Amino acid sequence: MDVCKIPENASKCSGSTMECFTVLSTQAQKISIATLCCLFGTLCVFENSLVLYLIFSSPRTRKKPSYIFISSLALADILASIIFVCSFVNFHVFNGTGFSKEVFLLQLGGVNTSFSASLSSLLLTALDRYVSISRPSEYKLLMTRKRAWIALAVLWAACATVASLPLLGWNCCTLDSSCSELFPFVDDSYLSGWVCLTLLLLGCIVYAYARVLRRARQHAAYMEQQQAQGGKQNARVRMDVRLAKTLVMVLAVLVLCWSPVLVLMICSVFSRLSDRLREAFAFCSTLCLLNSMVNPVIYALRSKELNSSLRRVFSRFRRQPKASEESPEAESTHRSSVVET
């Protein structure tokens, strides 16, 4: 019997079973996937690395819990893009199916850990925004740097634990159970559980953002009624509203990019997918990279502090070549102008 009939015979874990998951049949598809992965992955690493630099180069931003959570999101997106692009392109484009089950599950665990940490970081960011906008007077007491780092440590440990379960034994080879149509060696029950966990995270993020928006609207209405009062309180409310809108933009991109992948995963658990749908899943998977690439762009456009830091960095690089060619008097003039900026 042909070992490539999935999922019935995939549970036998034959060495040739891996070839059944290389669904790209034409050279044009492989070139398209490689181009999308390299483009999105390169931009994702560059943009998120820039976000990390902007956050940790400024004493003001690196001490704030909200930016600590954003830095966790950027780090998760960097790791996800590197691991995903290397393993995905090697598997689907170069048909790299010669590695062992353990190596494949280790790569898959790294991708799952990174993407799960990305979603969880968004959830912590939403909770941080909700506390900030709903209880501003108690925010500094409730959300300290120590608590932020503890929350991130628990988050990453939980994501790594869940992602390593197939490697530790929850796979269709060890259990002799039905394998997934989309991932080699992955048990259908584990895939169902991971999808449910991802949907739970998305649901919590949506709920948290809904609460943030509700509080933001209340603050905006209060701001209009209290225009005569001091500018500090109004500035704080405007900042909360701006950050709330930023997070909603991130959430909208997240849902649009992840929905096709999750829908196809759910369908694969309950029914047999056609070859066309499995090819579509390969292309939809690149949308996860697109999400990781778009997030830092939204931060740069919407975050006033990061935007200001980015302008200072660009200004510094523009002035360096000019300073080396000009006289000492002109160089001192440039330095004074940088200070003023």
Side-chain angles (χ1 to χ4, degrees):
M1 186 178 293
D2 186 2
V3 294
C4 287
K5 290 184 178 179
I6 302 172
E8 292 84 356
N9 291 321
S11 61
K12 298 182 184 302
C13 298
S14 169
S16 60
T17 302
M18 292 282 288
E19 299 176 0
C20 305
F21 294 87
T22 55
V23 296
L24 302 182
S25 56
T26 66
Q27 193 67 20
Q29 291 177 340
K30 294 181 180 181
I31 293 176
S32 299
I33 283 288
T35 302
L36 290 175
C37 287
C38 292
L39 177 62
F40 293 163
T42 302
L43 291 175
C44 178
V45 171
F46 172 75
E47 293 170 357
N48 284 285
S49 298
L50 181 61
V51 169
L52 289 177
Y53 172 76
L54 294 177
I55 291 175
F56 286 99
S57 63
S58 172
R60 182 179 180 182
T61 55
R62 67 168 174 256
K63 294 180 180 180
K64 293 184 177 182
S66 58
Y67 286 104
I68 292 177
F69 296 145
I70 290 176
S71 65
S72 172
L73 174 63
L75 177 61
D77 287 337
I78 290 174
L79 295 177
S81 61
I82 293 175
I83 302 173
F84 178 85
V85 169
C86 292
S87 59
F88 195 79
V89 171
N90 178 61
F91 187 82
H92 286 287
V93 177
F94 298 106
N95 296 330
T97 59
F99 40 79
S100 63
K101 175 191 71 175
E102 288 75 17
V103 173
F104 176 82
L105 292 179
L106 181 62
Q107 293 176 350
L108 183 63
V111 174
N112 286 347
T113 298
S114 302
F115 280 128
S116 299
S118 178
L119 292 176
S120 301
S121 298
L122 277 176
L123 177 59
L124 289 180
T125 305
L127 295 176
D128 172 78
R129 283 297 91 209
Y130 177 71
V131 174
S132 174
I133 202 171
S134 62
R135 306 174 70 176
S137 60
E138 305 175 33
Y139 174 77
K140 291 186 178 181
L141 296 176
L142 295 175
M143 193 62 66
T144 62
R145 277 184 292 170
K146 181 179 179 180
R147 291 182 178 179
W149 285 112
I150 292 176
L152 287 180
V154 173
L155 179 156
W156 280 88
C159 292
T161 300
V162 173
S164 63
L165 290 178
L167 184 61
L168 297 176
W170 193 354
N171 57 75
C172 55
C173 298
T174 303
L175 301 177
D176 194 23
S177 57
S178 177
C179 286
S180 169
E181 290 186 271
L182 300 175
F183 304 99
F185 312 119
V186 174
D187 184 77
D188 266 338
S189 61
Y190 172 80
L191 181 61
S192 302
W194 189 85
V195 170
C196 290
L197 178 61
T198 303
L199 291 175
L200 178 62
L201 285 175
L202 288 174
C204 292
I205 294 172
V206 170
Y207 177 77
Y209 282 135
R211 298 298 298 269
V212 169
L213 282 180
R214 180 181 177 185
R215 299 294 299 186
R217 286 198 300 268
Q218 293 175 350
H219 279 217
Y222 177 80
M223 182 180 64
E224 294 177 357
Q225 297 174 0
Q226 303 293 329
Q227 289 294 332
Q229 295 187 3
K232 265 189 177 180
Q233 188 175 13
N234 289 341
R236 176 57 184 270
V237 172
R238 283 193 292 269
M239 179 189 68
D240 288 335
V241 172
R242 186 186 308 113
L243 288 177
K245 292 180 179 179
T246 299
L247 296 179
V248 170
M249 292 174 62
V250 174
L251 175 62
V253 173
L254 177 74
V255 172
L256 290 175
C257 291
W258 276 88
S259 294
V261 172
L262 292 176
V263 168
L264 288 174
M265 285 184 182
I266 295 173
C267 292
S268 71
V269 173
F270 295 101
S271 63
R272 177 79 178 270
L273 296 182
S274 65
D275 292 339
R276 287 299 181 91
L277 287 178
R278 293 171 63 204
E279 291 176 358
F281 178 80
F283 280 92
C284 290
S285 298
T286 61
L287 292 177
C288 301
L289 280 179
L290 178 62
N291 171 64
S292 299
M293 184 192 73
V294 170
N295 282 343
V297 176
I298 298 176
Y299 302 147
L301 293 177
R302 301 291 300 180
S303 173
K304 186 177 180 180
E305 291 176 314
L306 291 184
N307 201 358
S308 300
S309 299
L310 185 60
R311 288 199 302 269
R312 287 196 297 269
V313 170
F314 286 158
S315 176
R316 190 183 310 129
F317 279 109
R318 283 200 307 267
R319 295 178 188 279
Q320 281 180 352
K322 295 180 181 180
S324 62
E325 300 175 0
E326 295 176 347
S327 62
E329 292 79 11
E331 184 177 358
S332 62
T333 303
H334 277 306
R335 287 178 179 173
S336 63
S337 64
V338 172
V339 172
E340 292 174 359
T341 304

